[in-house]
Amino acid sequence: QVQLVESGGGLVQPVVSLRLSCAASGFTFSSYSMNWVRQAPGKGLEWVSRITGGGGTTFSADSVKGRFTISRDNAKNTLYLQMNSLKPEDTAVYYCAQEASGGMDFWGKGTLVTVSS
């Protein structure tokens, strides 16, 4: 079965950087684009970043451009989100999600990032 397990979240101050990881199993990881999506407390879902299957093309939301970098290691079946210059507004549950033709079919349970100034 498809499984996506996020890790790397925590409690940090704005100057601190974090790298989130998403360990994937149950499917051919390199065949799928992957996304990071987040949900701030009391807010709706916000798309953060996307990376194509081979890792050659990435897209990011304006709110994180220049600060967050999505990447993947297909040999390890792992998706990453490097987060620098963290702001309190980045506080959210971060989810990795598999992208298919019909949308994001599978999501992880999420990892909480709390940025406290």
Side-chain angles (χ1 to χ4, degrees):
Q1 293 181 305
V2 171
Q3 185 173 17
L4 299 169
V5 182
E6 301 93 339
S7 64
L11 172 63
V12 300
Q13 294 185 332
V15 68
V16 178
S17 297
L18 282 177
R19 188 177 75 163
L20 304 185
S21 298
C22 171
S25 62
F27 65 100
T28 303
F29 183 64
S30 62
S31 295
Y32 293 87
S33 292
M34 298 293 294
N35 293 263
W36 286 100
V37 182
R38 68 185 182 185
Q39 185 169 31
K43 304 292 178 58
L45 293 170
E46 178 188 17
W47 172 80
V48 175
S49 195
R50 176 181 184 267
I51 187 168
T52 54
T57 305
T58 64
F59 306 88
S60 294
D62 289 342
S63 59
V64 306
K65 283 182 179 177
R67 300 189 299 118
F68 291 9
T69 303
I70 190 171
S71 63
R72 65 195 296 161
D73 186 339
N74 286 342
K76 296 181 178 180
N77 287 354
T78 303
L79 177 73
Y80 301 101
L81 185 67
Q82 178 67 47
M83 304 184 294
N84 299 327
S85 301
L86 284 162
K87 305 174 180 180
E89 307 93 270
D90 296 319
T91 295
V93 176
Y94 285 73
Y95 302 91
C96 65
Q98 180 205 67
E99 183 177 324
S101 60
M104 299 183 196
D105 291 350
F106 297 97
W107 297 57
K109 294 183 181 294
T111 186
L112 176 64
V113 173
T114 302
V115 185
S116 180
S117 62

